[in-house]
Structures are given as structure tokens and as C-alpha cells.
Amino acid sequence: MAWSGGKDSSVTLSELFKSLLLLKNSKPESLTREIYLTTAQTHLDFVTDPLKQSELIKIKKLIDHHKLPVKIVEVSAPIEKSFMYLVLGRGYPLPKSRMNRWCTERLKIEPSHKEHKAIKPALTVTGVRLSESAERRNNIENRQVSEFFSENEFMPIVNFTLDDVWSYLVREGMAWGDAEALGQLYKEATGECGLRQRKAGSGEKNDDPCGARTGCIICPVVTIDKSSQEFAKHNPWLQSYVGLRNLMIQMYKDPRNKAGRKRDGTVLEYGHGTFTVKARMRLYEAVRQAEQENEELARMHGVEPQKLIYSKELDELIHRQWEEDLRECPWVEDAAEVGRFYETKIKGLQVGYQLVWNYLYDTSEPIEQIKKPDLCQVND
């Protein structure tokens, strides 16, 4: 079973442990298989990770006390696929949408699949629910072979609504302790956390009370990260990372930070291509500044600082990549200069260009302070 530390996976894991304890007390000879509890370390989930680590200590105590056949495995991506190396080191584009979340693939899915392949489990337990979203419902229904099963997958809370999840945690708690800290985390991420009278079902939304998004502190996919902003109000040492996320997005919107070429030298339009080495260096300094502010505030509040560049090895790898790029593909050092006008392709047409006014030509102001003018199209 994969456990994220969030509400759905915690309810599922709690039920799994309660089932094991029932077997332990009534039919101990049936506990013949080893059970793997996997959890992913992305080095970016600063909201839930501290709670997850403290809950893991309680879970380990439960396993040891009852001598349960459960092994905890923490998976993580190799440093060459870490988010900070790919963005700061290699100049990868930021993931922009749910359809283009290359970070999830590299940081969670690939390491988990690798471990899954090594374990070769007879059964996988998941905490998926039909009411999470229309997309999730379709995904589950397309693979279901019975109400709670798809092939080699058991989905014990598949019919739970959001209210059911929180009602369970309030009434039952978790097999290894109460859910007070988990509830507080969601409360701080939404500003409220009260169970509603109506049952959340097909209309359930991720921004409902108790249903907040929890994830990477600098996630660029969501347009406005309300959860992290709200959480940082209660945990001020994370404020610098909320600001850093916004800065990253603005820097990637600025065409002056794109090389106009791919790493292999393929020429692209102005404002496209690899994030330049100079821009990566500036962003690196912003990351270090945010880390310093995080450390100062964390020490003041008696908590452990959290670093995005989490090891000396990662820091050295980023700097080596800059050196290699400047040596092997110098065209990504900086963006090509353009005049007051430049041509770009017209979206939706195979042939045809539009003449664009370079509104940045006569200014050095940050892009977020400049109002973008209307484009003037010229058909080829």
C-alpha cells in the first residue's frame, strides 16, 4: 500500500491495520505474507511531510508492538531526477497543467513503480474514491471488476464521500493514534474544517472545507495556491517559499529568460526554449535567499528548517550542469536579442506568422509590472 499521509490514504491504512490486528487476535497463523507500506519523499512537500514523519514513528511503534508483518519503504527519485536539479540545473520548463506534470512522473510515479516491480505484490491497496472528481470516477469505473476491486487492486473506501472520510477520522481516529493533527493541518490549509450537513458526492470540490490540496510548496500547476498561502499564515516560516513560487512563475513567463533554442541547438521562436543559464543562476540565488529566510523563521518558532536544495551533492550537481551547458551548448547562456518587433507563428495555422511588438525592448522592468499590448497579426 502507498501512503501519502493525507486524509484518504490515512483512512485506508487505518482500516488495513485494524484488519491485521483482527487476524492477529483471531487467526494469527493466517499472517503469512509480508506487507509493504510505501511512502514517497519528494523533498518538496513541506506542508504534510513533517506530520507524515511524526506519524511514521507512531506507525512503527504499532508494527513493533504487535509484531505485524509490515515493512515500511520510503521511495525517492535519484538526485538526477530531482525537481531542483531539472529546473535549476538543466533549465526544464515548469510543469504547467495536470496533463503536463512531469514532476509527478519523476518524483512519485517512477520511484513507486520501480519499488512495485521489485516487490511484485499479489494485491495493491489504494485509497481512491469515486467522488474525488469526474476524471477519477471514470478512471476507477474503467478498471473495476467488482465494487471494491480492479485487477490485483483493493479499494476499500471507493464509495466514501469527503464527509465520510472526516466522519471516520472523527469517530474512529487512526489505528496508531488520533487524527487531531491531521485535521488541524487541513484546517490551516483552508481556514475552516467543519463537517457539512449535506453529503459531498459528485459535486465535491478539492477546495471544499476539509478537502484542501496538499502537496509541493512551490507547485506551479495551480493558478493560485490558496492552500499553501493559508497554511503559511499559521506557519510563517513557509512564507518565503510561497513568495518564491510566485517569483518562479513570473520568471518563466518572461521571454528574456528563454534561450530561443533547445539544448540540442534546435532554433525556436523568441520567448521559447530552454530556461537560460543566466536565468537559472538568478533563480538559484532566489532559492537560497528563501531558504535562509525559512531557516531564520523556523529557528524562531522552534521547528526544523526545510531546504529545497537539500544536500551538498545536489548543489554541486546544479553547478556542474551550468558549467557543462556553457561549454557544450553555449546558445543556452542567454536569450537572443531582438528589436522592437519580431515574428512568431500564428497558433492553429500551419503557414502564417504574426508580427509582435517587443514591449520589453525599451525597458528593464520586471515583466509583472508591464501591461502587455495587443498583438498585430500579419499573414504571410
Side-chain angles (χ1 to χ4, degrees):
M1 176 182 167
W3 178 66
S4 67
K7 59 189 187 305
D8 294 341
S9 65
S10 292
V11 169
T12 306
L13 180 59
S14 181
E15 280 299 286
L16 176 61
F17 273 123
K18 288 180 180 180
S19 300
L20 291 176
L21 291 172
L22 282 172
L23 284 174
K24 180 74 174 180
N25 294 328
S26 62
K27 198 177 179 183
E29 67 277 7
S30 65
L31 295 177
T32 58
R33 296 177 184 267
E34 188 161 31
I35 297 168
Y36 291 85
L37 173 60
T38 61
T39 180
Q41 174 57 267
T42 65
H43 299 286
L44 296 172
D45 191 356
F46 293 172
V47 174
T48 59
D49 192 62
L51 176 61
K52 184 172 73 171
Q53 296 303 324
S54 65
E55 294 297 296
L56 274 175
I57 294 173
K58 298 176 185 178
I59 291 171
K60 289 175 183 177
K61 288 181 179 178
L62 176 68
I63 294 170
D64 294 341
H65 178 73
H66 293 281
K67 295 182 172 57
L68 298 175
V70 179
K71 181 180 181 181
I72 298 174
V73 180
E74 187 173 69
V75 300
S76 62
I79 195 170
E80 295 81 7
K81 292 187 177 182
S82 66
F83 184 84
M84 282 292 108
Y85 168 66
L86 293 177
V87 171
L88 291 182
R90 294 183 63 84
Y92 266 42
L94 293 181
K96 296 179 181 178
S97 67
R98 295 181 184 276
M99 302 300 294
N100 183 31
R101 285 193 300 189
W102 56 259
C103 48
T104 302
E105 182 72 25
R106 286 167 173 78
L107 300 180
K108 286 187 174 181
I109 297 176
E110 288 182 5
S112 296
H113 280 183
K114 182 178 180 181
E115 189 64 32
H116 191 276
K117 188 176 181 179
I119 294 171
K120 297 179 181 178
L123 186 69
T124 300
V125 183
T126 61
V128 295
R129 298 185 292 113
L130 287 166
S131 67
E132 287 182 69
S133 65
E135 182 181 355
R136 179 57 61 89
R137 176 179 287 273
N138 290 335
N139 184 275
I140 293 172
E141 290 177 343
N142 287 337
R143 66 178 194 270
Q144 273 180 313
V145 296
S146 64
E147 184 176 7
F148 297 103
F149 287 88
S150 63
E151 187 177 357
N152 299 326
E153 180 186 12
F154 177 40
M155 303 171 286
I157 67 168
V158 69
N159 295 319
F160 274 40
T161 65
L162 188 62
D163 285 332
D164 292 331
V165 170
W166 283 106
S167 295
Y168 177 100
L169 291 170
V170 169
R171 293 196 314 267
E172 306 288 336
M174 297 181 288
W176 56 92
D178 62 56
E180 184 176 346
L182 183 62
Q184 182 65 25
L185 183 147
Y186 279 89
K187 181 178 180 180
E188 291 179 356
T190 57
E192 58 176 315
C193 193
L195 295 175
R196 296 171 302 285
Q197 294 299 316
R198 67 175 179 84
K199 287 290 182 182
S202 60
E204 180 179 317
K205 297 179 181 179
N206 288 335
D207 59 355
D208 279 346
C210 300
R213 183 200 77 84
T214 56
C216 301
I217 192 70
I218 57 171
C219 178
V221 175
V222 289
T223 305
I224 300 175
D225 193 352
K226 294 180 180 178
S227 292
S228 292
Q229 290 176 359
E230 194 67 34
F231 192 79
K233 292 179 183 177
H234 301 273
N235 303 270
W237 53 91
L238 295 179
Q239 287 282 5
S240 63
Y241 291 136
V242 173
L244 176 66
R245 170 191 176 276
N246 297 332
L247 174 65
M248 287 176 61
I249 293 173
Q250 290 301 326
M251 286 187 68
Y252 267 84
K253 287 180 178 179
D254 192 332
R256 293 169 294 186
N257 292 331
K258 303 290 182 63
R261 291 195 187 191
K262 293 182 179 180
R263 298 176 60 82
D264 63 6
T266 302
V267 178
L268 302 172
E269 296 177 45
Y270 175 70
H272 293 71
T274 304
F275 206 50
T276 68
V277 175
K278 287 185 177 179
R280 287 177 243 168
M281 290 177 174
R282 291 196 301 272
L283 182 55
Y284 172 89
E285 293 301 323
V287 169
R288 284 306 198 190
Q289 178 64 33
E291 287 181 332
Q292 182 180 342
E293 293 173 9
N294 167 263
E295 182 171 6
E296 291 172 356
L297 287 170
R299 298 298 186 196
M300 287 174 58
H301 288 83
V303 298
E304 283 297 315
Q306 295 164 287
K307 288 186 176 295
L308 289 167
I309 303 176
Y310 55 84
S311 69
K312 182 180 179 181
E313 181 185 6
L314 174 57
D315 188 58
E316 292 175 347
L317 190 63
I318 291 170
H319 282 80
R320 284 202 302 272
Q321 187 62 55
W322 295 344
E323 294 172 0
E324 180 181 326
D325 282 1
L326 291 173
R327 182 175 64 253
E328 303 296 334
C329 42
W331 49 84
V332 300
E333 178 181 3
D334 204 358
E337 291 187 11
V338 295
R340 286 189 175 87
F341 298 93
Y342 61 92
E343 288 184 341
T344 64
K345 291 182 179 179
I346 299 175
K347 289 184 179 180
L349 297 180
Q350 291 184 347
V351 178
Y353 290 85
Q354 61 185 4
L355 190 63
V356 180
W357 174 25
N358 178 17
Y359 58 99
L360 300 171
Y361 181 73
D362 294 313
T363 182
S364 60
E365 292 182 70
I367 189 172
E368 62 270 21
Q369 297 180 13
I370 305 171
K371 183 178 179 181
K372 188 174 180 180
D374 295 331
L375 303 182
C376 175
Q377 292 189 353
V378 180
N379 292 331
D380 186 9

